[in-house]
Amino acid sequence: MDGEVAAVMAARSGDRQAFGWLVERYQRPVFNLAYRMLGTAGDAEDAAQEAFLKAYRALDGYDPRRSFSTWLLSITAHHCIDCIRRRHLREVSLDGMPAWRRQAGPALDPEAEAQAGDRARLVRAALALLPAEYRLVVVLRYWQDLGYAEIAEVLGESESAVKSRLHRARRRLAEVLCAPQPGSWAGGPEERRAPGAVAAALDGSSECVAIAPAS
């Protein structure tokens, strides 16, 4: 954390190399959050660039006692919600700012890649059907792996409000994932079950019902 705060202090003084270090450190979680919220790589890249630009401009207001990652994800989250509400992304130029790039993941064999693509499309489709505020708490909890206190800090809300919203979001997502697909036979529980990998992305269960909160 000391090195991180030192980098922030240096960036405040105009050291772009120090800010570039922060970009390199957090480009993946920022991109991943934007991607889960906005649904496409292009929109996520634009949103990530905007989030870093906003963070750069707001460095003087950053409180070093606060987690920098939480502060940065809060900026990203609110920008993504604004993007969703506006239904378009504002063009941003980052001329002169430190370059950043999305990091490539490990290569998959063709069959695994096809299966992963199907799962990813299903997850994106399900998330896209959630209201932006619900989508955000799901992404922060299950893809950013933040605790309730961290999510509350990102959103500027109480932990109880976060838990309540996540409860409703999980139920809505369960309804989406467990709904029979058009043209499919809905005669038994197997046919109404979401793919195991999608449910596992939420809490490690292959049962669709497991993603819904306990009553």
Side-chain angles (χ1 to χ4, degrees):
M1 178 59 71
D2 290 343
E4 186 174 272
V5 172
V8 173
M9 297 301 105
R12 278 181 173 177
S13 301
D15 186 341
R16 289 184 174 177
Q17 184 175 0
F19 188 71
W21 182 84
L22 292 168
V23 171
E24 185 71 20
R25 184 179 179 91
Y26 289 110
Q27 61 185 2
R28 179 171 295 206
V30 166
F31 174 85
N32 286 343
L33 172 57
Y35 182 68
R36 294 295 179 184
M37 290 296 294
L38 302 177
T40 70
D43 286 351
E45 288 173 356
D46 288 343
Q49 289 179 351
E50 175 68 4
F52 280 119
L53 181 59
K54 286 183 175 181
Y56 184 77
R57 290 172 173 170
L59 281 176
D60 286 343
Y62 168 66
D63 183 353
R65 294 171 298 180
R66 184 181 181 186
S67 164
F68 181 80
S69 62
T70 301
W71 180 76
L72 179 60
L73 289 178
S74 179
I75 291 173
T76 307
H78 286 92
H79 176 68
C80 288
I81 287 180
D82 287 343
C83 290
I84 292 170
R85 288 171 176 168
R86 292 195 307 264
R87 295 182 179 274
H88 72 273
L89 292 172
R90 181 159 54 94
E91 295 292 330
V92 177
S93 172
L94 289 183
D95 293 341
M97 291 292 293
W100 79 285
R101 63 187 183 279
R102 180 159 53 101
Q103 298 176 355
L108 298 173
D109 64 73
E111 182 177 358
E113 189 171 5
Q115 293 176 348
D118 289 342
R119 293 167 188 151
R121 282 189 291 272
L122 179 58
V123 170
R124 287 198 300 270
L127 286 173
L129 294 175
L130 294 180
E133 291 79 7
Y134 285 3
R135 190 184 318 171
L136 179 58
V137 292
V138 170
V139 171
L140 291 175
R141 181 70 183 95
Y142 296 107
W143 279 272
Q144 295 292 333
D145 199 27
L146 299 187
Y148 295 123
E150 293 171 303
I151 297 174
E153 186 175 354
V154 168
L155 301 181
E157 299 181 357
S158 66
E159 287 188 49
S160 61
V162 167
K163 291 178 181 179
S164 177
R165 186 183 301 178
L166 184 61
H167 177 94
R168 294 192 296 269
R170 282 165 55 98
R171 187 173 296 280
R172 290 282 293 273
L173 191 57
E175 291 171 356
V176 172
L177 292 175
C178 297
Q181 297 299 310
S184 66
W185 177 60
E190 291 295 329
E191 286 67 39
R192 295 193 299 272
R193 180 178 299 167
V198 177
L202 293 181
D203 57 8
S205 172
S206 63
E207 293 293 337
C208 182
V209 68
I211 68 174
S215 57

